């Protein structure tokens, strides 16, 4: 779907990629979904197709569709890599992987959502073209205070080192070499992570983010709203 929509964007005049993707997804869900007519709450997809809407949601927000803020050269490069790489790498370009590092547990995959951000967490985002190491606000303050160099804080030093080592191994294995961004919560470079996350908590949300959490200043629909609209249109 990503390769086809990228081709259509280059080949067809006045082509609306988001509209085309939405129509294709609604058509697929109405054909292959299980539901009772006019009952959105009854809608479900088989396990094999269940995460397909999630990929389309992230594809709609990706650099392949949202070409604003990228030069034509960058857009052409992204599309060339999408056509050249295998499915495993293309999937990472469309829906980046997000790994959490904390004192409570070892490295674990977390949802690509703003709720994954916490003050005492380090997040490692791999979006193929960019690798981001994001320090929560508490971790960043401890790092700036130099706790990792003090005796008795070896566990904190290891926590800081683990995502760095993982990022290094990703960069060594990949060509062209991805850009490495190391940033802190509320810092200017944090935008590299925030741009990829599902905006489940925004400035307009009824519930504020938890302490140490974050919100995204955007009017974009969250994945939950996207799914509600999809279910409503698919069962018509």
């Amino acid at each position: 779907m990503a390769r086809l929509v990228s081709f259509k964007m280059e080949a067809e005049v006045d082509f609306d990629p988001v509209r085309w993707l939405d129509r294709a997804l609604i058509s697929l869900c109405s054909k292959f979904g299980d539901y009772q007519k006019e009952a959105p709450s009854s809608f479900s997809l088989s396990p094999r197709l269940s995460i397909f809407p999630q990929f389309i949601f992230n594809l709609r927000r990706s650099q392949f569709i949202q070409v604003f803020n990228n030069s034509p050269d960058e857009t052409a490069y992204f599309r060339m890599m999408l056509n050249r790489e295998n499915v495993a790498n293309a999937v990472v370009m469309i829906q980046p992987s997000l790994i959490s590092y904390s004192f409570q547990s070892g490295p674990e995959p977390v949802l690509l959502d703003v709720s994954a951000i916490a003050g005492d967490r380090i997040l490692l985002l791999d979006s193929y073209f960019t690798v981001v190491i994001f320090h929560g606000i508490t971790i960043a303050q401890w790092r700036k205070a130099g706790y990792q160099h003090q005796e008795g804080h070896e566990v904190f030093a290891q926590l800081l080192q683990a995502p760095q080592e993982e990022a290094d191994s990703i960069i060594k294995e990949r060509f062209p070499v991805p850009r490495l961004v190391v940033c802190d919560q509320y810092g200017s470079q944090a935008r590299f992570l925030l741009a990829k996350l599902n905006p489940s908590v925004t400035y307009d949300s009824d519930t504020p983010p938890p302490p140490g959490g974050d919100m995204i200043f955007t009017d974009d629909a969250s994945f939950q709203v996207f799914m509600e609209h999809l279910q409503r249109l698919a069962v018509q």
Side-chain angles (χ1 to χ4, degrees):
M1 289 290 280
R3 287 170 178 166
L4 180 57
V5 77
S6 293
F7 171 75
K8 280 177 169 288
M9 285 177 78
E10 290 184 356
E12 297 183 18
V13 182
D14 296 332
F15 176 69
D16 187 341
V18 172
R19 194 181 176 89
W20 184 85
L21 281 172
D22 287 348
R23 282 179 171 173
L25 181 60
I26 292 163
S27 173
L28 180 133
C29 289
S30 61
K31 281 184 180 134
F32 295 103
D34 294 322
Y35 57 87
Q36 294 168 351
K37 203 156 179 63
E38 304 295 342
S41 58
S42 67
F43 180 85
S44 67
L45 278 169
S46 76
R48 289 180 181 180
L49 279 174
S50 59
I51 60 168
F52 186 70
Q54 191 176 312
F55 279 104
I56 293 294
F57 172 76
N58 285 301
L59 175 59
R60 288 163 93 254
R61 304 175 73 229
S62 71
Q63 65 269 31
F64 305 113
I65 307 298
Q66 304 296 338
V67 295
F68 181 77
N69 226 10
N70 289 327
S71 71
D73 288 355
E74 284 177 306
T75 301
Y77 165 70
F78 293 145
R79 287 175 180 165
M80 181 196 76
M81 293 301 294
L82 177 69
N83 285 315
R84 200 183 82 169
E85 289 297 328
N86 59 26
V87 172
N89 286 339
V91 160
V92 174
M93 295 177 199
I94 295 164
Q95 182 170 303
S97 68
L98 189 64
I99 299 170
S100 163
Y101 296 80
S102 68
F103 291 114
Q104 287 77 29
S105 62
E108 58 177 359
V110 288
L111 287 173
L112 198 65
D113 193 289
V114 69
S115 62
I117 295 174
D120 59 351
R121 258 185 186 177
I122 301 175
L123 296 174
L124 176 66
L125 178 90
D126 176 13
S127 65
Y128 193 85
F129 302 107
T130 312
V131 175
V132 182
I133 300 174
F134 176 94
H135 299 107
I137 188 69
T138 309
I139 300 278
Q141 286 168 348
W142 290 349
R143 190 198 70 234
K144 286 170 185 169
Y147 284 7
Q148 68 274 24
H149 304 303
Q150 295 177 16
E151 201 175 329
H153 292 281
E154 290 80 7
V155 176
F156 179 56
Q158 289 166 7
L159 181 67
L160 286 177
Q161 191 60 30
Q164 189 66 54
E165 288 172 356
E166 180 62 26
D168 290 344
S169 71
I170 291 170
I171 290 166
K172 276 178 192 164
E173 291 171 7
R174 190 169 295 164
F175 182 82
V177 176
R179 176 182 182 180
L180 177 65
V181 177
V182 181
C183 59
D184 297 336
Q185 190 175 358
Y186 309 129
S188 63
Q189 300 264 290
R191 67 184 188 277
F192 285 97
L193 174 75
L194 296 176
K196 296 290 183 184
L197 298 180
N198 170 37
S200 61
V201 183
T202 67
Y203 70 94
D204 209 16
S205 298
D206 296 330
T207 52
D214 214 332
M215 68 171 73
I216 297 178
F217 291 89
T218 180
D219 291 321
D220 288 352
S222 68
F223 180 61
Q224 290 80 357
V225 173
F226 176 77
M227 279 304 293
E228 284 167 14
H229 283 272
L230 173 63
Q231 288 169 352
R232 199 171 69 241
L233 292 166
V235 301
Q236 283 178 1

